[in-house]
Amino acid sequence: LRGDAPLSITAILDPLSTAAPRMLPALQMLRDSLGVRLRVLMMPRLVVTELPRKAFHRFVMPQAGEGGALPAGSFARLPRGLVLTVGIDAPEAWDVQTSAVNGEVDVDNLRCPENPKAPCGTDGGDATSIGYSLNGLLLSGQCYSYTDGMPPNGLQLVLAPPQQGDVPLARIADTLVMQNLGYWQMKARPGAWELRLAPGRASTLFVAVNQTRYEEELEAAKGEGGAGGEAPPQEEEYRPVYVVNSFEDKVHMLRVRKRPGFEHVSLLSAQGGDGDEVRPIKPNLTTLT
């Protein structure tokens, strides 16, 4: 304990919980790098019905004075005879992939012989090396339709550099909007990227909407006593530009609406594909006498 530290942290942890091995290295890092006063109180559960610890963790980060050495963590004296899986707990916005691994190693099925004298590792040794690299960042968000208030399940989105006019689309990634909360996700690099509806059925049935402008026009329509308080449709195509400039995750909200005449046309209709012509539905009025 450091009595003269300007900051102090008190942590109450269950030593057999899944959060404890993740929190302790982070608390130690704060103590060593920021000089905070750290106090850890152990509060285990009184009744344990099964073995709560089923995983081993190492906290890896660059250390001062190591120069250009890559940060690394190691596991020693792991139980033999069990099938182990190696993974990395990274922020949700990080696209982390294995980069340096022996071709004979399956990171999802690591197993050492029960005989303690038998080699357990690559090249006949007792160590197995696995590397990870950050391949990119994930751009994610949610998409909802103003037409029915629901996520447009299956709507195809594309990510491309910002472009002017109707130049060929140089897409770098594409994805589909999921039915669950309208979630969508694409891999991107740092920079500014333009999100569009994919050419074909997606852009024929839907149009992206500037949420701020739409809500302003909706309020204006309500004030003028418009029909149902509905905002007039926006004619020009809206192409939001998202800037990837942080390692932190951020959820972007995309709003779309059906084009006039296509309100009752299904996006996932079994009739044809993206290249087929999609025509608006014209209502038929029948007068009964």
Side-chain angles (χ1 to χ4, degrees), residues 26-125:
L27 293 173
Q28 184 178 3
M29 181 269 296
L30 293 175
R31 182 199 63 185
D32 297 339
S33 59
L34 301 180
V36 301
R37 182 176 182 267
L38 177 62
R39 182 173 61 170
V40 178
L41 303 178
M42 297 296 180
M43 185 175 292
R45 284 171 288 178
L46 299 180
V47 179
V48 178
T49 57
E50 62 177 356
L51 183 63
R53 287 288 305 277
K54 300 179 180 179
F56 306 92
H57 300 269
R58 293 293 183 272
F59 185 78
V60 178
M61 67 170 294
Q63 299 294 330
E66 292 185 353
L70 295 177
S74 62
F75 296 87
R77 298 185 299 276
L78 292 174
R80 290 175 174 263
L82 299 179
V83 178
L84 303 177
T85 299
V86 181
I88 184 170
D89 289 336
E92 187 176 352
W94 292 18
D95 178 26
V96 179
Q97 304 291 335
T98 54
S99 60
V101 59
N102 190 292
E104 302 177 355
V105 176
D106 183 0
V107 296
D108 294 325
N109 296 280
L110 293 177
R111 184 178 183 274
C112 290
E114 295 185 8
N115 184 1
K117 296 183 179 180
C120 178
T122 56
D123 301 327

Side-chain angles (χ1 to χ4, degrees), residues 5-26:
L7 299 177
S8 63
I9 297 178
T10 300
I12 303 176
L13 299 176
D14 178 0
L16 296 180
S17 66
T18 57
R22 291 179 171 90
M23 286 297 300
L24 288 175

